[in-house]
Amino acid sequence: MMNHRIPDEVRYARQIRFKPLAVDGQSLITASKVAVVGMGALGCVIAQHLARGGAGYLRLIDRDIVEASNLQRQILYDEDDVYAVMPKAQAAARRLKAANSSIQVDAMVEDLTPANAEELLKGVDLILDGTDNFSTRYLINDYSVKHGIPWIYGGAVGSGGMMMAIRPGSTPCYRCLFPAAPAPGTTDTCETAGVLSPAIDMAASLQTAEAFKLLSGRSDKLHGSLIQFDIWDTGMTQLKISDSKRADCPCCGLHHYEFLEPDEAHPAVEALCGRSSVQLTPAVPMRLNLDELASRLQAAGTVERNPYLLKLLLPNDQSLVLFPDGRALIQGTNDPDQARRLYTRIMAP
């Protein structure tokens, strides 16, 4: 069989010609292992840059499925993924492997929680934030500081965004700058303020540029600030953070990693912002036989099945998406209590 592998010196030729990287920097990038947490809009851009730029191993961690409203800004997905009810991590991995078959891409259809963070994040050199919620960012921050693994925070909403690189022992951690999550309803979200896809691209591209600096051994080129920008009013600000490290920070100062403690950090039932969906995570991990479950649930509604999940469409326009680990997305409600009752009724033996 003919070997169709594209040589690295051809694939990465333009990147290697960038003198600050050159062959040595590219070799370090190719040897790197990176986790991308969240394969929504930010994660898609981040993962695509990393895959095409030659990061040797990518671990894509995402709990969600592709929906029609994602297509405006989540560049790794298409309409077929929506109709096939594809998990984002799997759909993204397939696209990235098609773009660069010389790297390894692992798709983890999981919700990053205190119960699995040590397993899902172990063994990587860098973590990139593609999430859209504070609790997961605090969890990543705790893991990062505990294990001395750098991570790069980013976010975008409306026409603006922000990002910064966090290196335990060298920079303030996320919690130094943001001691507590804002109260629900006090900050804009993509649901309340919308979002322009170029704002996402800019935040994610800035994140990935910092990633390439770290992975290539050029941490001296990190900007060392919290960058804030707006692409509609066309402005960018770099906020100095070097003096923001706090000796009394619960995470990097006192080394109390409370977001890695299940009882304090991760609710079993969580309404998903702007989605008319609720995620339910069982208190006790389980392993479902989805084929057997599909047969049992035929009487309850219309069952759709793919290799990764089961979707039950109910007569009341609600639906239940079940994953092998027992986690569920209850679609058609924002009420956690209603979602819990529905899950219990459907899943009761």
Side-chain angles (χ1 to χ4, degrees), residues 153 161-165 172 177-178 223-229 236-244:
Y153 154 71
M162 61 178 62
M163 65 78 53
M164 68 175 178
L177 279 77
F178 306 102
H223 57 70
S225 61
L226 172 64
I227 288 183
Q228 296 179 319
F229 66 85
M236 177 180 287
T237 303
Q238 288 187 242
L239 302 176
K240 181 181 177 182
I241 62 172
S242 57
D243 296 332
S244 301

Side-chain angles (χ1 to χ4, degrees), residues 225-338:
S225 61
L226 172 64
I227 288 183
Q228 296 179 319
F229 66 85
D230 191 291
I231 61 167
W232 195 257
D233 294 323
T234 317
M236 177 180 287
T237 303
Q238 288 187 242
L239 302 176
K240 181 181 177 182
I241 62 172
S242 57
D243 296 332
S244 301
K245 192 172 178 63
R246 295 169 41 218
D248 64 345
C249 172
C251 181
C252 69
L254 303 177
H255 300 286
H256 179 206
Y257 308 118
E258 64 183 271
F259 288 90
L260 290 174
E261 300 170 4
D263 290 340
E264 296 182 27
H266 189 72
V269 181
E270 176 187 5
L272 304 182
C273 178
R275 293 275 307 282
S276 190
S277 297
V278 174
Q279 176 178 259
L280 190 147
T281 304
V284 179
M286 62 178 68
R287 184 55 53 180
L288 297 178
N289 185 320
L290 294 185
D291 290 329
E292 291 182 0
L293 192 59
S295 178
R296 183 169 71 82
L297 295 180
Q298 292 288 346
T302 303
V303 175
E304 297 178 356
R305 179 81 166 89
N306 68 28
Y308 315 106
L309 54 83
L310 178 156
K311 184 172 184 178
L312 173 66
L313 294 90
L314 299 168
N316 60 357
D317 293 328
Q318 292 181 326
S319 59
L320 190 74
V321 180
L322 287 162
F323 297 89
D325 61 0
R327 186 169 52 88
L329 296 177
I330 294 86
Q331 301 174 315
T333 182
N334 288 317
D335 184 342
D337 290 332
Q338 185 183 58

